[in-house]
Amino acid sequence: MADRLNVCIIGSGNWATTIARNVGNNALTSQFLEPTVLMYVYEEYIEGRKLTEIINTTHINVKYMPDYVLPTNVVALDDVVTTARDADILIFAIPPTFVSNCCKTLLGKVKPLAHAVSLIKGFDRGDDGQILLISHIIMRQLKIPCSVLVGCNLAHEISNNNFCEGTVGCRDQKYMRILHDLFKSSTFRVVVTDDADCVEICSTLRNIIAFGAGVADGMEMNENTKGGIIRRGMLEILQFVDVFYPGSRMATFFESCGLSDLVTSCYANRNRRLAETFVKTGRPLSELEYVLVPGHEPLGPVTAELVNIMLKKKGLEDKFPLFTTIYRICAGAYPLARLVETLRFAREDIYHPNHIFQL
Amino acid sequence: MADRLNVCIIGSGNWATTIARNVGNNALTSQFLEPTVLMYVYEEYIEGRKLTEIINTTHINVKYMPDYVLPTNVVALDDVVTTARDADILIFAIPPTFVSNCCKTLLGKVKPLAHAVSLIKGFDRGDDGQILLISHIIMRQLKIPCSVLVGCNLAHEISNNNFCEGTVGCRDQKYMRILHDLFKSSTFRVVVTDDADCVEICSTLRNIIAFGAGVADGMEMNENTKGGIIRRGMLEILQFVDVFYPGSRMATFFESCGLSDLVTSCYANRNRRLAETFVKTGRPLSELEYVLVPGHEPLGPVTAELVNIMLKKKGLEDKFPLFTTIYRICAGAYPLARLVETLRFAREDIYHPNHIFQL
């Protein structure tokens, strides 16, 4: 039998801790994996004790997930290089803005044949200022392939053993089964596809749409308006993938990373709530982001801005009227009422020209 | 200039009256249409007065839409043959079970070049017992083409001038613009496609999925379960069209008849509410249907049953696990908990085999 693979997790927030429970349990029973899973924890002191020490003795991440117990084979470390150096699979679950520095620290210190998996949603700027998917930043900086796991925008739903779905976008055929077995549980259904860019983009762009849905909720618009935002949003996601990451497959949009994450985000995620509060209170976004989600950056407005930069550069703002409208509402450049105007007048033929007749 | 077209509406319920307002207003301003729109009303007596007489004097359909005024050029008649005989466009908006008899009455009495438009959702049995789409029943019996208008499952949202979307599935190129102009309003966005079967099927099958979503709500399942039902539901709708009405286009599923109607139904329609109450009260469906929706047959359970007959005939029940599970829950043959089991174990490759890796 081949050597078993070492797995580490870089990050210890809510989502990292959630997935550490699945990964820890699966490592214990898998024939492909070493049982011990190292987890890099940004060291903090909680009532005078180190967080790593608390996790390693109580097996509870008291800071980010106090109600759940981790498997005892998940071991917290306060040094990222020590955590990562022997790992064959590196799972990244840190805020997007920390990725670049983390990779700089790790460059040349991870196994050359290691495989990364990003759980991080969003775009960020690479070293050269170019806007990139997080997995691309990791690949460029660490020089190893980086798959993605997305889905289930509600970490507590996995932890509570409610039914959830996730999609892995895998960049190496031989990791498909391994990554499936690494993340799944009896209630967390994982599907693996090789259309990795599309998986990551869907899960990133949906935060823009969720923000738009929250604006509609804040304005107490009707159900059909929200349905229209979801539909138009899906069309613009399709078109965005087609323009910026061509070659993706239609099937991927029907995975959980596409259709179901988009819908659940528009009814239940924090971007939606942020937007609703933004509309109802009239307070600036910068204030609300801090109040509503301390420790979590709501990705809708940030993503809307980065996407707008990408669109502007190609002269495509008009071809993505919903993304553009939501960005401008966030930026204070459009009144809220523009949202419905956009739905009313947006052309239908963006993705399938000639297929649809419209005046 | 060519002769203007005569339009009539057959039916006077909630949806018929809603669309009569748009059609009436558009007929007044269109250069293609005669201004007078005849509406067939099933005669009833309201406090001793004929309903047709009330509508023609007060312009209010006191029975089905007491809060809205109809344009004065909409004229109610109590005889269906008189209503239809001079019409170039016949809009059908009656309960599905009345369609067959209505067509029998009209056969040979409508203009041979007339064009029908069905606003009726659902399947029904044709004369030979075969299960057919309503528009196909109309076409077979009346020997004229029948387009469909679907979308906006919430008639009051159109009436209140909230933003809504509708899709016309048009069976004759030269009616595309006419039907668009006939139904649209400043708040009701209408898109016309020629993929008529797909439009009608989407709007029919979504009632099964909405019932499933309501079961999940009744069981107080989590958001991701509902997202999973919507996603799986969409996949089975795609597959159903592929098996029973091949040749449809993917773009149609992204019209309002597809994605947005499915989503809004799963959050806000009467099938969802019926299912939620069914689960929470434990009372039989037959009792609840009457209590919840007097005068309206909630189509979810009925459609689930007809679809099941179609699937069984082809030995395909296993390939449509969600449709089959929802049907069996309606029929009392499965416990409610089977719904989540189905989501958990349903195979992913139904629509796009080879594209997706799954264990």
Side-chain angles (χ1 to χ4, degrees), chain B residues 80-120:
Chain B
V80 71
V81 173
T82 315
T83 307
R85 72 181 164 205
D86 293 324
D88 301 289
I89 299 174
L90 295 94
I91 301 168
F92 284 87
I94 51 179
T97 43
F98 295 175
V99 170
S100 195
N101 273 336
C102 179
C103 289
K104 276 182 194 131
T105 308
L106 290 175
L107 179 61
K109 311 217 168 100
V110 299
K111 286 186 171 181
L113 293 180
H115 190 97
V117 185
S118 169
L119 274 56
I120 307 158

Side-chain angles (χ1 to χ4, degrees), chain A residues 101-119:
Chain A
N101 274 335
C102 179
C103 287
K104 277 181 194 133
T105 308
L106 289 175
L107 179 61
K109 312 220 167 97
V110 299
K111 288 186 172 182
L113 295 178
H115 190 97
V117 185
S118 169
L119 274 56

Side-chain angles (χ1 to χ4, degrees), chain B residues 34-35 39 51 54 62 117 124 129 144 235 251 269 271-272 324:
Chain B
E34 280 294 335
M39 179 161 91
L51 181 54
I54 296 171
V62 289
V117 185
D124 205 358
I144 59 176
L235 285 173
N269 107 339
N271 288 294
R272 194 209 62 77
T324 302

Side-chain angles (χ1 to χ4, degrees), chain A residues 151-154 157-158 161-165 176-177 180-181 185-187 189-194 221-232 234-235 238 249-257 259-264 267-268 340 342-348 352 355-359, chain B residues 151-154 157-158 161-165 176-177 180-181 184 186-187 189-194 221-232 234-235 238 249-257 259-264 267-268 340 342-348 352 355-359:
Chain A
C152 190
N153 50 317
L154 304 163
E157 293 203 346
I158 296 193
N161 287 328
N162 291 311
F163 174 78
C164 294
E165 294 186 289
M176 287 189 138
R177 183 178 185 136
H180 175 275
D181 290 358
S185 75
S186 63
T187 50
R189 182 176 200 267
V190 174
V191 170
V192 185
T193 161
D194 61 5
M221 306 300 295
N222 57 329
E223 283 295 326
N224 281 297
T225 298
K226 201 150 158 180
I229 290 170
I230 292 171
R231 186 177 85 77
R232 181 79 207 175
M234 188 60 140
L235 284 173
L238 259 70
R249 280 192 302 273
M250 185 56 89
T252 309
F253 300 98
F254 292 100
E255 284 309 312
S256 69
C257 61
L259 183 53
S260 36
D261 284 0
L262 175 63
V263 171
T264 53
Y267 284 90
V340 175
T342 297
L343 293 180
R344 198 177 295 171
F345 298 114
R347 289 193 60 83
E348 201 65 21
H352 292 279
H355 278 169
I356 291 154
F357 172 91
Q358 191 205 5
L359 298 186
Chain B
C152 190
N153 50 315
L154 304 162
E157 294 204 344
I158 296 194
N161 287 328
N162 291 309
F163 174 78
C164 295
E165 295 186 288
M176 286 189 140
R177 182 177 185 135
H180 175 274
D181 290 358
K184 69 156 173 66
S186 63
T187 50
R189 183 178 199 265
V190 174
V191 170
V192 185
T193 161
D194 62 4
M221 304 300 296
N222 57 330
E223 283 294 328
N224 280 297
T225 298
K226 200 149 157 181
I229 289 170
I230 291 171
R231 186 178 85 77
R232 181 78 206 173
M234 188 59 141
L235 285 173
L238 259 70
R249 281 192 302 272
M250 185 57 87
T252 309
F253 300 99
F254 292 101
E255 284 310 313
S256 69
C257 61
L259 183 53
S260 36
D261 284 0
L262 175 62
V263 171
T264 52
Y267 284 90
V340 176
T342 296
L343 293 179
R344 198 176 296 171
F345 297 113
R347 290 193 60 83
E348 201 66 20
H352 292 278
H355 279 171
I356 291 155
F357 171 92
Q358 191 206 6
L359 298 183

